[in-house]
Every structure is written in C-alpha cells, then in structure tokens.
Amino acid sequence: MSHCLTLLKKVFGYPAFRGSQADIIEHVAAGHDSLVLMPTGGGKSLCYQIPALIRHNAGLGASIVVSPLIALMQDQVAALTKAGVRAAYLNSSLTLAEVVIAERAFVRAELQLLYIAPERLMTSRFLELLTRSRIGLFAIDEAHCVSQWGHDFRCEYMRLCALHKRFPRVPRIALTATADTLTREEIIERLALHHARVFISSINRPNIRYRIIEKNNARAQLLDFIQAEHTKIDGTTDTGIVYCLSRRKVEETANWLVRQGLRALPYHAGMDARLRLKNQQVFQHEESVVICATIAFGMGIDKPNVRFVAHLDLPKSIEGYYQETGRAGRDNHASNAWMVYGLGDVMQQRRMIRESTANELYKRVQTAKLEALLGLCETAKCRRVQLLSYFGETGQPCGNCDICLDPPATYDGTREAQMALSCVYRAKRASGFGFGESHLTDILCGNKTKRVKRWGHDTLSTFSIGASLPAEQWRSIFRQLIALGLLSIDHGGHGILVLTELSKSVLKGERNITLRQYSKFKRDTQGGWHTLW
Ligand code: ADP
Ligand code: ZN
C-alpha cells in the first residue's frame, strides 16, 4: 500500500487518497474484478491509473481504458503524459500513421495506459492485437452506458462482455457515477461482473446547493441569478454551464447573454465541428466563460471550478439531472445547481417520448422517469434527501438546498384539489374529451376565452370557482396533482389531463391533500391569496 501512496505523491502530486480510493486500488492492482460507483468528481480515474502503473511495473503490459468520450481521453492522456506516464489513445480523431505508432507502442508494452473507444476495441483487428500482447487490466469507464434503460445507452458497450470470455485472466474494473440499483444490476449482468467486488461511495455532493424554481421568464431569471450570485467585482462571471433542450434555444440564449455583457458560448451537436471544439477548449482552458449547451456537452468535461450549472429546461430524468448538475464543483468548493421549470417542460418531454421511435416499454420507463423528476421539482422535502433516496441512499435534511434554506409553506389544499379534479371531470363530461392545464385554468379562473365559449365551458359549475386564486397558483396545483399521482398526462399527447384511480378518494372527500404554496403567493387567515412581491 505504501507503494500506491508513493505513486500518488510522486506521479500525481496528491498527499492522500480520498474515500475508498486506496481500497479499490489495492483490490484492482492485486488482479481482482471490481465495480466502482462513485460520484462525479470523486476521483475514479486514479482507481485504474495507479493499478495500471503497478501492473505495468510488474511486467504485465499496458492497461486498456475503454471510454466513449473522445474529449476525456485526450485530456487524460495529455495530463498523464505531463506527469511522466506513458499513455496514448486510439480513437477516430487520429490519422492512420498515428494509430500505427500507438498500436506498436502498445504491443511492445512500452505504454502503461491505452485509452480506446469501445467500437475500436471490439474490432477483430484490435482483438487480434490484444491476443498478441500482455494486458495489465481492462478499465471500463462510464459503465452505465451498457444499461439499455439508462440515458446514455451505447450498443457497443453490450459487446464488452466478450472481453472477459477472451481474456479471462485479465482483471476488469467498471466505473460509473450512476448508482441506482437497477443500473448497477444491469452492469453486473451485462458485463458478467458477478464475482466483482462492488465499491459504493455515497453519491452525495455536499458542496452543491440545489434549487428548483417555477419558470416565468426563464432568461430574466437566469440573468438575475448570475448577476446576484456569480458576478465578480470586476464584472466578469464565474465559470458556468447553462443547459437548454434544443439547439436553437442554446444559440438564442448564448446570443442573448452576450448582449447582456456576459462571455457566453454555444455548444451543441448541430454546430460546425471545428467551432464546437474551439468553444469547448475555450471553456476548458479559460475562466469566466458561460457555456450554453444541449446535453451533448459535458460528458467527460473535467473543469474542476464550474461554479454553477443552470437548467433552463427540464432534463429527461433524475439521473440526467444528477449527472448534469454533478459537473458543478468538482473541486469541492461551494457551487450552485439552479433550475427553472414549468409544466410546459413536462409536456414537451412527454411529446418527445411519444414521438420517438422507441418501443412501448421503453416509452413507459421514460415516462415514469420524467414523473419522478416532476416529483422532485414539486417536493416540499429536502431536495438532497429526495435525490439520494432515488438512488437508494438515505440522508438527513441537508441545510444546503432551497427547501432546507427557505422551507415552502404548505397548506391544506383539499378544496383546491377537489376543484381542479372536478373541473377535469366536468369539462370532459361536457365535451366528450379531455383538456390541458391552461384551458382548465381558464375555466377555474373564469376567463371567457374563445375556447371556453366555443365549448360552452362558461356554463360548467366549476367555471370561475377558483377565481380568487391567480392562474400561476392553479398551474402549480395542477403540477402537484400530477406529481402526487392524482392526475396523469394522457398518453395520446396534447397534454390532456386525466383522472387516475387515486383521484376518486379526493373527490369523494375521503382523503386530505397537503399542497406546497406557490412561492409568489401567500394565503391569509381568511383563505384569500396575496402576491408577495
Ligand atoms: P471522476 O472521474 O470520478 O469524475 P476524476 O478522476 O476526474 O473524477 O477526479 C476529479 C478531480 O479530483 C480531478 O481533478 C482529480 O485530479 C482530483 N483527485 C482525484 N483523486 C484525488 C486525491 N486523492 N487527492 C486530490 N485530488 C484528487
Ligand atoms: Zn436540503
């Protein structure tokens, strides 16, 4: 073990191991299989890099690191080379001559580490090369890519199981930051890691402050947030990532931030490849840059001092949210994960799921994941406790999320829930089909819109019964009813809300409902509502 520590100090310049790094390194260096679940920024790379050095020193050849991320490979190889480690990578960015050089160095065991993309590793040409070489170990990074239900599925990862069959004596270490039990089991199954020791570190990121707020003017809210919390005295901003769902919105947001005087750059898969790479490099190597990006950006970004991650749109799942926000604060300094969302986001995601070409089971799983995320948004409990419990961990209220810092008031919303549910029921009974949240809100608020008049909904008994509440409040109530499973979004699309089995008990008055007060409004003792600002 003291040998590992010497390497850590001498090669990597760190004084001590973090968390379970030392245990993992010892286990892997000794030639055993392992599955490592560690949060982003936890220090997974050292878990295979140090064993690779040890095993190379022992004459066992170079270690192979499988990674789907070209940018990450390049950064890691550059950093390792600088530290005096003999490392190289093989991916589609190399010329044939460069490939030949790297392969030759590998076969001759001159390399200590070789990073490789999975599709290249599994070619018969490369597998043949492997049979002629000594191999230190296989490290399979981003191992959750093997999970078919996950958000980063890569079919080439499925084939990695063949490595074990062909090279049964070479130890393997699979690593991921996605730690929910289902994904974990799937990784073990698909990579045949049944005998592997599983190392689970808490995925909690105490330095990240989570905040999720209702969206009303997303851009203005974002600018307020950056100006209030991430602008330095000289006027420059902290380094941050702003996630948007669409390429167009990425471009528009970046342009708009530039017009507001910020140094913002776009990044998405539809951009000219050279410009995209340039923006990524500026972000990686310079400071005070805000990058606006689709989720195409980020996997493998190793910028330790990202101070905030902002979401202008809802991610697809809690896994996605956790991974994206996890890019903040890898240096363990205080950082913000800030998100604005509205029911429109949920509808948009639902539409995307519906219109995708995936099979029904997959669509159902994605829908359930989206609903879990809505539940997180609408919760009145500590965000961190909710996040951790989603990944199978327990925790105490954290004191570092919006809910803990400024607990939302709750109220007995049984009457409001009944009004909303009965409005859903009556509008459907009157017209023969269902309606979405905005039309239902119009009915409840007594707005005589064209649609309300066309359907005769101004004659419903629920017309105008909620007029004492502002429309935003009703929107918040509808979101919470969905999050509570009292309403569901119709699978046919169009955002139609339908009653569920559970709604009946509320309508019959058999169940009381506690709702979260919409932050902008407060109810007085007489039951009237007032704007707070
Ligand atoms: P992960 O892959 O788990 O997201 P990395 O391996 O990229 O994390 O490590 C995250 C950061 O922490 C890197 O900047 C790395 O150099 C640093 N780091 C890792 N282990 C240690 C350690 N024992 N001491 C100090 N810094 C460390
Ligand atoms: Zn909390």
Side-chain angles (χ1 to χ4, degrees):
M1 195 65 235
S2 66
H3 183 43
C4 301
L5 197 59
T6 311
L7 284 171
L8 177 75
K9 290 180 187 164
K10 227 172 66 188
V11 180
F12 298 92
Y14 298 130
F17 286 113
R18 269 192 202 156
S20 45
Q21 272 177 337
D23 289 346
I24 299 169
I25 290 169
E26 197 169 9
H27 186 76
V28 176
H32 306 300
D33 289 347
S34 39
L35 170 58
V36 171
L37 307 143
M38 205 186 263
T40 315
K44 285 187 282 301
S45 319
L46 286 182
C47 298
Y48 54 81
Q49 287 168 344
I50 291 181
L53 300 185
I54 294 171
R55 291 179 69 80
H56 187 270
N57 284 347
L60 287 160
S63 292
I64 304 275
V65 184
V66 187
S67 168
L69 312 162
I70 293 183
L72 177 98
M73 284 185 198
Q74 293 170 343
D75 287 348
Q76 291 223 350
V77 168
L80 287 167
T81 308
K82 225 165 117 187
V85 176
R86 278 169 282 137
Y89 58 80
L90 282 175
N91 62 39
S92 54
S93 74
L94 297 184
T95 64
L96 187 60
E98 289 168 327
V99 168
V100 171
I101 292 172
E103 285 181 353
R104 198 174 296 156
F106 167 69
V107 175
R108 290 181 184 160
E110 288 162 12
L111 292 179
Q112 293 164 304
L113 278 142
L114 178 68
Y115 286 74
I116 187 164
E119 58 277 12
R120 188 174 287 256
L121 171 66
M122 299 315 290
T123 57
S124 47
R125 179 189 140 74
F126 195 81
L127 288 173
E128 202 271 323
L129 207 73
L130 284 181
T131 52
R132 288 195 280 123
S133 320
R134 277 167 294 159
I135 311 165
L137 59 93
F138 289 114
I140 302 168
D141 207 2
E142 311 288 348
H144 61 278
C145 290
V146 81
S147 160
Q148 234 177 334
W149 307 120
H151 51 298
D152 287 327
F153 175 63
R154 307 223 172 196
C155 54
E156 319 88 61
Y157 261 68
M158 297 280 253
R159 297 182 51 216
L160 293 178
C161 165
L163 287 177
H164 178 55
K165 295 203 186 88
R166 282 186 81 139
F167 309 99
R169 295 157 67 100
V170 180
R172 294 169 301 152
I173 169 172
L175 311 103
T176 178
T178 302
D180 66 293
T181 31
L182 260 178
T183 311
R184 190 185 316 165
E185 279 160 18
E186 217 180 334
I187 295 172
I188 291 172
E189 196 56 43
R190 292 195 197 280
L191 295 179
L193 282 169
H194 304 93
H195 300 295
R197 181 158 157 206
V198 182
F199 293 89
I200 304 177
S201 314
S202 168
I203 60 154
N204 185 19
R205 302 284 312 279
N207 61 317
I208 299 182
R209 174 173 294 181
Y210 299 98
R211 241 174 309 168
I212 303 178
I213 57 176
E214 293 107 342
K215 187 190 284 193
N216 39 60
N217 181 347
R219 275 185 197 171
Q221 288 172 292
L222 173 68
L223 190 63
D224 278 352
F225 162 68
I226 297 177
Q227 281 175 342
E229 301 189 33
H230 292 288
T231 305
K232 298 178 222 160
I233 302 168
D234 65 359
T236 61
T237 65
D238 287 330
T239 299
I241 305 175
V242 176
Y243 281 111
C244 306
L245 198 58
S246 72
R247 297 169 183 184
R248 209 184 75 197
K249 194 157 163 194
V250 163
E251 296 276 351
E252 287 172 0
T253 309
N255 288 338
W256 186 79
L257 288 175
V258 168
R259 288 203 300 279
Q260 309 307 311
L262 274 68
R263 186 147 181 244
L265 294 170
Y267 184 102
H268 59 74
M271 282 168 66
D272 171 65
R274 260 182 322 199
L275 180 61
R276 195 176 62 201
L277 184 64
K278 188 169 151 259
N279 286 355
Q280 177 179 329
Q281 282 167 348
V282 171
F283 178 78
Q284 183 74 40
H285 301 294
E286 297 181 28
E287 298 310 321
S288 302
V289 178
V290 175
I291 198 140
C292 298
T294 56
I295 49 170
F297 179 79
M299 276 189 81
I301 289 304
D302 185 19
K303 176 115 181 146
N305 62 339
V306 174
R307 287 279 71 83
F308 68 91
V309 169
H311 279 93
L312 291 192
D313 294 304
L314 207 59
K316 292 181 171 37
S317 60
I318 291 183
E319 290 94 325
Y321 173 75
Y322 206 69
Q323 194 173 57
E324 285 146 36
T325 54
R327 290 175 188 133
R330 285 192 179 199
D331 55 9
N332 289 318
H333 293 298
S335 311
N336 277 310
W338 178 96
M339 175 159 84
V340 286
Y341 84 101
L343 197 51
D345 291 292
V346 182
M347 300 301 183
Q348 187 177 19
Q349 294 276 6
R350 286 295 294 268
R351 201 163 47 240
M352 285 165 61
I353 295 171
R354 186 172 51 89
E355 287 167 3
S356 85
T357 52
N359 65 37
E360 280 311 309
L361 178 59
Y362 182 83
K363 287 184 184 184
R364 266 212 302 283
V365 172
Q366 296 306 310
T367 305
K369 284 182 189 270
L370 184 61
E371 274 159 16
L373 180 59
L374 180 67
L376 172 72
C377 294
E378 290 296 338
T379 187
K381 289 192 290 217
C382 169
R383 306 265 188 214
R384 195 178 312 270
V385 169
Q386 292 255 108
L387 280 167
L388 292 178
S389 91
Y390 183 82
F391 295 111
E393 272 187 51
T394 51
Q396 293 300 313
C398 71
N400 194 25
C401 72
D402 52 355
I403 307 277
C404 287
L405 291 167
D406 185 14
T410 55
Y411 63 98
D412 179 353
T414 309
R415 209 163 56 93
E416 284 80 3
Q418 284 168 342
M419 287 180 190
L421 296 177
S422 127
C423 191
V424 170
Y425 172 75
R426 282 170 205 283
K428 178 168 183 194
R429 200 182 52 176
S431 307
F433 48 84
F435 294 85
E437 156 256 357
S438 90
H439 181 74
L440 293 164
T441 299
D442 281 331
I443 301 175
L444 286 164
C445 291
N447 298 334
K448 291 200 178 183
T449 63
K450 253 198 231 153
R451 287 186 77 204
V452 166
K453 283 192 278 191
R454 172 151 40 104
W455 297 112
H457 289 167
D458 46 352
T459 61
L460 293 179
S461 62
T462 49
F463 182 75
S464 176
I465 52 166
S468 63
L469 263 67
E472 284 112 317
Q473 175 78 30
W474 280 114
R475 274 198 277 280
S476 160
I477 292 171
F478 278 117
R479 283 198 306 268
Q480 295 185 67
L481 293 177
I482 298 168
L484 289 168
L486 294 168
L487 280 176
S488 70
I489 306 170
D490 183 59
H491 284 281
H494 312 296
I496 288 171
L497 298 181
V498 291
L499 298 182
T500 66
E501 265 314 301
L502 293 176
S503 355
K504 283 183 201 140
S505 58
V506 179
L507 281 169
K508 286 193 208 147
E510 292 165 2
R511 183 177 158 190
N512 284 347
I513 300 297
T514 302
L515 292 177
R516 210 186 124 164
Q517 207 147 289
Y518 181 70
S519 48
K520 212 172 150 189
F521 302 98
K522 212 173 181 60
R523 188 143 84 160
D524 63 25
T525 45
Q526 277 84 46
W529 291 88
H530 301 283
T531 306
L532 282 181
W533 68 80

